[in-house]
Amino acid sequence: MFEVKFCGLIAAGLLLGISGVRAQQFGGNPPSVKWNQINTPATRVIFPVGMDSAGLRVANVVQQINNVMKPTIGTKQRQVNIVLQNQLVTTNGYVGLAPFRSEFYITPAQNSFSLGSILPTDQLGIHEFRHVQQYNNSDVGLTRFLHVLFGEGGQSLAYSIAVPNWFAEGDAVYNETLLTNQGRGRLPYFFNGYRSLWAAGKNYNWMKLRNGSYRDYVPDWYPMGYMMVAYGRQKYGDNLWRNVNNYAAAYKSFVYPFQNAVKTYTGQDYSKFRLAAFEHFKKQLVTPELQKGASAYKSNQHFIGNQEFPAYADENTVIYRKSSYRQRATFVEKTGNLERKIRLSDFTLDGYFNYQNGQIVYASRRPDVRWGYREYNEIKIVDIKTGHQRQITTKTKYFAPAFNADNSRIVAVDIPASGKYALHVLNVADGKLITAVPNPNHVFYTYPKFYNNSEIVAAVRKPSGEMSIALIDIESGKTDDLTTVDMAPKAFPVIQKDTVYFTGTWGKDDKMFALSIKDRQLFEIQSDSLKAYIGNYQPAVGSNKIAWVSFSTFGYQLHELERNRLQLKPVDALPPLPDFEIASLKMDTGANLLASIKKKALPYKKYPKFTRPFNFHSLVPYFDDPEYSFSLMGENILNTLQSELSFSYNRNEGYKQFGFTSVYGAAFPYLFAGVNYTIDRRDYGFDQNRNTVEVNWNETNLQAGLQLPLNFAGGRNYTRFNISSSINYSINDVKQVAFKSALPNNTYLNNSITFSNQIAKPYQLINPQLAQSITLTYRNTINTLNAHQFLASGTFYFPGLFTNHSLVFNLAHQRRDRNYSIFSNQLPFSRGYTSDNLYRLYKAGANYHFPVAYPDAGIANLVYLMRLRGNLFYDYTHGTDFYRSGAAFKADFRSAGAELYFDTQWFNQSQVTFGVRYTYLLDTDVFGGSGSNRFTLILPLSIF
């Protein structure tokens, strides 16, 4: 027997536009957050009350760059809603279709090398609004047709297939580099990934570069995209990508529209264009010294792991953080060649920690229990001898904490939701605030360190984005710049006596520097070995040694060197940031436009939370014979109300169903309700003469309920708890009077509790090594039918015999009323059997998952196979029931078999897992077909 489990392909594809790009949290803000808005022709900026300056800045940046930059991508304009989120601990943003909106997460990052030092409002305004312009000008040709037919989900599906994500992000990064005097396209850190591949001779094929690997480090599509967009702008002018985007989105070439668009407007084959773009940057980024450094590794070496943030415990002992694709992040103590694990790290934003006198201090990231847009960074202290950890702050947003000399105080960067950045000095004993350092110049602090009891050294960002290493007076907050103030990123300062060691950008490299606090003399740290490494970050200084980490295609690697082997070369200032020979950054339309943005007063007003509450945006068809349906999906801009209007037709019975459901997520529990009206239901029954007759009726179903999702993630575990309860009322309008009593109106309750808990899962593992998922469901009528059903099920994960192997057990029990229940069977039945809703059901199953191969191979830029993995399983289900005579019925349903799963990427950007299953039935399938051998094709519930 061969079986296919499949979900409608068209629906799944269109859902890409609704859920595939979704980064937001439904109902993520508490009702106490009030909102204002600023309206311009290009955007409506929606921001929390009190964040007026941030909202005004975004509105001005977007309005003024839009007027200048339209010609480079197209002149179509549709107003977009931008929501500013200020309670998360990350800097990020997205623009999505279905619905068309954007969100900015405006908390600045500590590491200035990764995103630069420009204000998040400016960088996100430039970068994310470029995506808005891309979407607006993609609404042409076939993409426009699908937009008209299926709404924004149709536009998103068509555009995502036609235009690769590398172009969207590369074009946006080019924009942030062009319109500012920084941008990631000028930062060496941004190119470290490709630089490391080229230095190591890792000439991966195009599909591997696009899709990644479970064994090897592969950079994401941002630097790839920037290099190709920048090279194209440099060689073919600033109209190139407008033409290519329009051609591809219109599907002027139905097959490989983007590749053909590049060839049409450059005259080069797509593959030759890529190679030329890479070669332009490769010749600037790879040196013989870097190739020599990479040659120390085996030519077939896969990713090893990261060693980060070293600190000296003594001259022979280094403390650092270690992680890999197979290993969770761990604090490690290394003496000579011996490593000792101190403790697994809690969840962190960037892995940073500070060590002093036998103790580690770091900030651990934790989400709010209920509100998904609220996060905390709480300070933890670890004793390296015992591994014992204690928490000293709760519900705080502290970053980059560091001890003073005697471990009695901690300095940390405080980033409250108000955006009023400060340095806080805390008591180590209880975490209480001792001093909030004044910040009269509104600078942003990164990686602060105590210089003495009255002064702090930190890498400081000015509102302009310029940086310096500065000395801050704790009492007054006065900032004294120890270096020149410029756009070169600086980070990771550490103090040894009266010298500050730090990393700064110098031309096309990130190098280490030493700064004398007393006389302000700046030195570049030089040695022959330093030239062999890509970037030199996170210095640690001992009495006689210096340690640091560099980037490689095998992970961040730790290095040590005797200090007497270093040369200190005096320098006056860090040179300007490089443009990597992209002259168009100085000549194209909009060059350094940010510097001329004017602060214009724009009117703002209250944003009512129920503005356009339904906001229907996409029509999603679902075809899964015999069921055919269309759903009109809706979601308001603040993402607090989701709605669905639907129509369904069942070919077997011929019934038609109309439905509406909605869920409101801004209350503490979600509130949900729905109504379905079904016409022409039919079944068969017996009349008083025992003749078979057709029974016809119309059916109305009403539902209302509450759902409380709670997120207890924190420490090293992801833990969720969900409670749901609903009341459901069914009204049956039976056309034949004789059968009205057989189908009475029905009211029932549906209650469930779901608990899940898992430890963090390294990238390469198939399943978490330890996890539990438990569900309890109870459904019961509250009328004369007296029907009920109870289900308890659980899945439990354990380590397998080898790394990346996983042992999984399933247990379940279901019981119902003795009469045939009106409730459907929900028990996960033994695989291979046709299930039935028996009086009592008991299930136990065992699974052993393991990797089979990592092909890293693809076909025609359509499908790429990252991993094959297997699963051996055994299922046992025992059921009991009663015959009509009252005699007991008992049966066992045992099966064993194997599954082979294919972890793939489609169209070089959409992850899909599917599989095949062979099942051998050890008992008779009393409710289904004959034969013991069953084959099943397992297709995903969502293609994208």
Side-chain angles (χ1 to χ4, degrees):
M1 178 179 290
F2 192 89
E3 179 186 4
V4 178
K5 296 186 179 297
F6 184 59
C7 172
L9 178 61
I10 297 177
L14 285 170
L15 286 171
L16 170 67
I18 299 171
S19 60
V21 296
R22 178 164 294 161
Q24 70 274 11
Q25 297 285 333
F26 175 65
N29 284 301
S32 59
V33 177
K34 310 301 179 185
W35 302 89
N36 284 332
Q37 60 178 312
I38 297 175
N39 272 286
T40 71
T43 184
R44 176 190 289 114
V45 181
I46 304 165
F47 53 93
V49 170
M51 298 296 293
D52 300 10
S53 60
L56 182 62
R57 179 63 179 178
V58 170
N60 272 308
V61 168
V62 168
Q63 182 182 37
Q64 294 173 52
I65 67 171
N66 181 53
N67 293 335
V68 175
M69 297 305 294
K70 277 183 183 179
T72 64
I73 194 68
T75 57
K76 288 190 174 186
Q77 180 169 298
R78 176 187 172 199
Q79 188 189 55
V80 67
N81 294 283
I82 299 175
V83 183
L84 305 189
Q85 302 289 355
N86 64 333
Q87 299 189 71
L88 298 169
V89 298
T90 55
T91 305
N92 210 335
Y94 76 92
V95 178
L97 286 168
F100 184 42
R101 71 162 159 228
S102 178
E103 290 189 344
F104 294 0
Y105 310 149
I106 58 175
T107 299
Q110 287 287 297
N111 186 345
S112 302
F113 296 111
S114 60
L115 293 174
S117 53
I118 296 171
L119 289 172
T121 50
D122 293 357
Q123 185 188 43
L124 292 171
I126 293 170
H127 182 103
E128 300 302 334
F129 191 73
R130 188 59 168 186
H131 293 319
V132 173
Q133 293 178 319
Q134 292 163 359
Y135 279 138
N136 283 339
N137 289 281
S138 72
D139 204 17
V140 293
L142 182 59
T143 300
R144 174 62 182 168
F145 175 75
L146 290 182
H147 185 179
V148 172
L149 199 61
F150 297 113
E152 291 170 352
Q155 179 186 356
S156 180
L157 172 65
Y159 186 65
S160 63
I161 292 175
V163 179
N165 54 7
W166 70 253
F167 166 72
E169 297 301 347
D171 184 51
V173 172
Y174 183 88
N175 232 37
E176 71 184 59
T177 309
L178 171 68
L179 299 180
T180 73
N181 56 359
Q182 194 182 74
R184 277 174 279 183
R186 290 190 177 94
L187 303 182
Y189 187 94
F190 183 63
F191 299 97
N192 279 351
Y194 274 91
R195 197 177 204 174
S196 69
L197 294 186
W198 294 332
K202 300 282 188 180
N203 298 312
Y204 297 146
N205 62 55
W206 176 246
M207 290 198 73
K208 183 165 181 173
L209 292 176
R210 288 291 285 119
N211 295 285
S213 170
Y214 281 109
R215 293 192 300 172
D216 299 305
Y217 166 75
V218 179
D220 64 27
W221 50 90
Y222 283 72
M224 166 196 289
Y226 175 78
M227 288 187 287
M228 290 200 284
V229 168
Y231 174 77
R233 290 281 287 262
Q234 168 79 5
K235 189 166 183 180
Y236 300 101
D238 60 5
N239 290 329
L240 170 67
W241 297 113
R242 178 187 65 189
N243 296 331
V244 168
N245 185 69
N246 182 281
Y247 183 108
Y251 285 81
K252 292 181 180 180
S253 174
F254 190 74
V255 179
Y256 299 122
F258 192 86
Q259 292 90 322
N260 285 309
V262 169
K263 184 175 182 179
T264 298
Y265 291 103
T266 68
Q268 278 190 305
D269 287 338
Y270 186 56
S271 58
K272 291 181 179 179
F273 175 84
R274 298 192 313 249
L275 293 174
F278 284 166
E279 189 60 33
H280 173 89
F281 287 90
K282 182 177 180 180
K283 66 182 181 182
Q284 300 174 67
L285 291 168
V286 179
T287 64
E289 290 86 357
L290 293 180
Q291 291 174 318
K292 182 179 179 181
S295 67
Y297 298 90
K298 298 176 182 177
S299 60
N300 61 348
Q301 178 68 59
H302 298 295
F303 183 81
I304 300 171
N306 294 314
Q307 300 167 312
E308 299 177 274
F309 299 103
Y312 278 104
D314 56 50
E315 280 304 295
N316 299 312
T317 303
V318 181
I319 312 291
Y320 55 91
R321 189 175 186 268
K322 183 177 181 180
S323 62
S324 73
Y325 288 174
R326 297 184 175 190
Q327 176 183 312
R328 290 185 288 162
T330 307
F331 296 118
V332 170
E333 178 186 72
K334 184 178 180 180
T335 304
N337 293 321
L338 297 178
E339 281 188 348
R340 179 181 71 87
K341 293 182 180 180
I342 299 170
R343 178 188 172 87
L344 289 169
S345 171
D346 286 2
F347 302 135
T348 66
L349 189 63
D350 59 4
Y352 173 82
F353 72 92
N354 175 251
Y355 169 81
Q356 185 84 3
N357 299 328
Q359 291 184 315
I360 288 170
V361 62
Y362 69 106
S364 175
R365 182 181 184 180
R366 181 176 66 83
D368 186 82
V369 170
R370 168 61 182 86
W371 306 108
Y373 279 124
R374 180 183 288 169
E375 294 180 313
Y376 307 105
N377 246 21
E378 301 167 328
I379 294 181
K380 309 285 181 75
I381 295 176
V382 178
D383 185 298
I384 70 164
K385 289 184 178 179
T386 64
H388 174 72
Q389 176 175 280
R390 65 186 179 96
Q391 180 175 324
I392 67 166
T393 69
T394 302
K395 292 189 175 181
T396 53
K397 291 181 69 176
Y398 285 135
F399 298 77
F403 288 116
N404 67 346
D406 63 3
N407 289 41
S408 62
R409 295 183 178 186
I410 290 170
V411 61
V413 181
D414 180 50
I415 308 181
S418 66
K420 296 179 180 179
Y421 315 130
L423 290 175
H424 281 189
V425 178
L426 310 172
N427 189 325
V428 168
D430 54 17
K432 291 184 178 179
L433 177 65
I434 297 173
T435 303
V437 179
N439 186 6
N441 297 319
H442 306 291
V443 300
F444 182 71
Y445 308 100
T446 65
Y447 303 110
K449 300 292 188 298
F450 281 101
Y451 177 46
N452 51 47
N453 288 331
S454 60
E455 293 174 303
I456 292 167
V457 168
V460 171
R461 298 181 200 162
K462 316 293 184 181
S464 64
E466 295 177 305
M467 292 196 71
S468 70
I469 300 296
L471 192 65
I472 301 109
D473 182 78
I474 293 177
E475 183 176 352
S476 67
K478 178 184 176 183
T479 300
D480 184 7
D481 296 316
L482 301 176
T483 66
T484 56
V485 178
D486 52 46
M487 294 302 297
K490 303 166 185 68
F492 315 124
V494 294
I495 300 174
Q496 174 73 358
K497 296 182 179 179
D498 292 321
T499 301
V500 181
Y501 295 82
F502 68 96
T503 301
T505 297
W506 178 284
K508 297 175 183 178
D509 299 287
D510 293 327
K511 299 184 177 183
M512 288 191 298
F513 296 87
L515 170 67
S516 173
I517 297 176
K518 297 295 186 182
D519 59 15
R520 315 295 174 90
Q521 180 62 59
L522 180 65
F523 300 91
E524 179 193 345
I525 299 175
Q526 295 183 334
S527 78
D528 291 338
S529 60
L530 286 172
K531 297 177 183 179
Y533 305 125
I534 299 170
N536 295 297
Y537 306 100
Q538 305 164 15
V541 185
S543 300
N544 300 308
K545 294 180 180 178
I546 185 169
W548 72 98
V549 301
S550 66
F551 190 85
S552 78
T553 191
F554 314 106
Y556 280 100
Q557 299 298 298
L558 174 65
H559 310 285
E560 286 188 275
L561 199 63
E562 300 291 334
R563 288 174 62 187
N564 58 18
R565 296 176 58 189
L566 302 174
Q567 296 88 47
L568 299 181
K569 178 185 176 182
V571 295
D572 295 326
L574 277 63
L577 295 175
D579 59 18
F580 295 95
E581 297 183 12
I582 301 295
S584 59
L585 291 172
K586 297 184 180 70
M587 299 184 295
D588 275 6
T589 301
N592 199 19
L593 180 62
L594 185 66
S596 61
I597 297 294
K598 295 180 175 59
K599 184 179 180 180
K600 296 181 179 180
L602 297 171
Y604 66 88
K605 60 183 179 180
K606 178 182 177 181
Y607 182 78
K609 293 183 179 181
F610 286 96
T611 301
R612 295 185 64 189
F614 299 113
N615 191 32
F616 290 110
H617 54 75
S618 300
L619 181 65
V620 179
Y622 186 98
F623 303 150
D624 191 10
D625 189 66
E627 193 80 18
Y628 301 86
S629 69
F630 289 88
S631 293
L632 188 61
M633 313 298 293
E635 184 178 289
N636 68 337
I637 297 304
L638 290 180
N639 197 19
T640 56
L641 184 69
Q642 294 178 346
S643 305
E644 179 181 355
L645 274 171
S646 63
F647 169 77
S648 299
Y649 173 73
N650 185 281
R651 187 176 59 82
N652 284 351
E653 290 190 39
Y655 68 73
K656 285 76 69 177
Q657 183 181 83
F658 302 87
F660 175 75
T661 60
S662 189
V663 56
Y664 178 66
F668 186 70
Y670 293 170
L671 309 176
F672 60 89
V675 56
N676 290 314
Y677 180 62
T678 307
I679 304 172
D680 296 334
R681 290 294 311 273
R682 72 170 187 260
D683 204 344
Y684 293 92
F686 299 99
D687 63 14
Q688 59 185 0
N689 298 319
R690 303 302 293 171
N691 296 318
T692 301
V693 297
E694 183 177 280
V695 182
N696 303 99
W697 75 98
N698 297 335
E699 183 177 283
T700 302
N701 292 288
L702 303 172
Q703 181 190 52
L706 306 172
Q707 181 182 355
L708 183 58
L710 300 175
N711 185 354
F712 294 104
R716 296 172 292 186
N717 286 57
Y718 298 100
T719 304
R720 292 183 178 272
F721 187 76
N722 188 77
I723 305 173
S724 178
S725 180
S726 67
I727 184 169
N728 302 264
Y729 181 50
S730 176
I731 304 170
N732 298 310
D733 180 15
V734 183
K735 297 179 180 179
Q736 294 95 330
V737 176
F739 290 95
K740 285 185 178 291
S741 61
L743 288 171
N745 296 340
N746 178 37
T747 305
Y748 71 92
L749 300 175
N750 187 355
N751 303 291
S752 69
I753 297 174
T754 301
F755 170 82
S756 64
N757 175 66
Q758 72 167 72
I759 61 176
K761 183 178 81 69
Y763 176 61
Q764 205 178 79
L765 267 65
I766 297 169
N767 295 309
Q769 291 186 316
L770 289 173
Q772 309 85 38
S773 177
I774 299 170
T775 299
L776 302 175
T777 301
Y778 182 69
R779 299 188 289 180
N780 66 290
T781 58
I782 51 177
N783 58 12
T784 57
L785 284 180
N786 193 28
H788 63 268
Q789 183 189 77
F790 172 75
L791 171 70
S793 65
T795 305
F796 305 91
Y797 298 80
F798 300 94
L801 297 175
F802 305 98
T803 304
N804 295 342
H805 289 215
S806 175
L807 182 60
V808 182
F809 295 104
N810 313 110
L811 299 173
H813 169 59
Q814 181 174 283
R815 56 174 54 214
R816 62 168 175 82
D817 54 282
R818 184 160 179 170
N819 297 319
Y820 196 88
S821 177
I822 66 170
F823 302 115
S824 61
N825 180 19
Q826 293 183 312
L827 183 125
F829 216 78
S830 294
R831 278 162 279 197
Y833 288 95
T834 303
S835 63
D836 199 4
N837 193 3
L838 301 179
Y839 174 62
R840 296 284 187 270
L841 286 168
Y842 304 85
K843 159 73 185 300
N847 301 265
Y848 191 84
H849 296 268
F850 54 94
V852 176
Y854 301 94
D856 288 349
I859 301 172
N861 284 309
L862 295 178
V863 60
Y864 179 81
L865 182 56
M866 295 182 67
R867 178 174 62 189
L868 278 78
R869 52 186 173 89
N871 176 39
L872 303 177
F873 67 87
Y874 173 80
D875 287 339
Y876 170 73
T877 300
H878 178 74
T880 63
D881 212 316
F882 301 93
Y883 293 101
R884 289 185 179 180
S885 64
F889 167 84
K890 296 181 179 180
D892 290 331
F893 304 88
R894 296 171 300 157
S895 64
E899 298 169 330
L900 181 64
Y901 288 95
F902 302 82
D903 294 326
T904 65
Q905 298 271 120
W906 289 61
F907 308 114
N908 287 327
Q909 59 191 48
S910 299
Q911 186 173 350
V912 177
T913 293
F914 61 91
V916 291
R917 176 189 300 144
Y918 166 71
T919 308
Y920 181 76
L921 306 189
L922 300 172
D923 297 295
T924 302
D925 187 359
V926 297
F927 303 116
S930 59
S932 298
N933 298 295
R934 305 288 168 93
F935 294 89
T936 306
L937 178 61
I938 308 166
L939 293 179
L941 292 180
S942 178
I943 294 297
F944 298 97

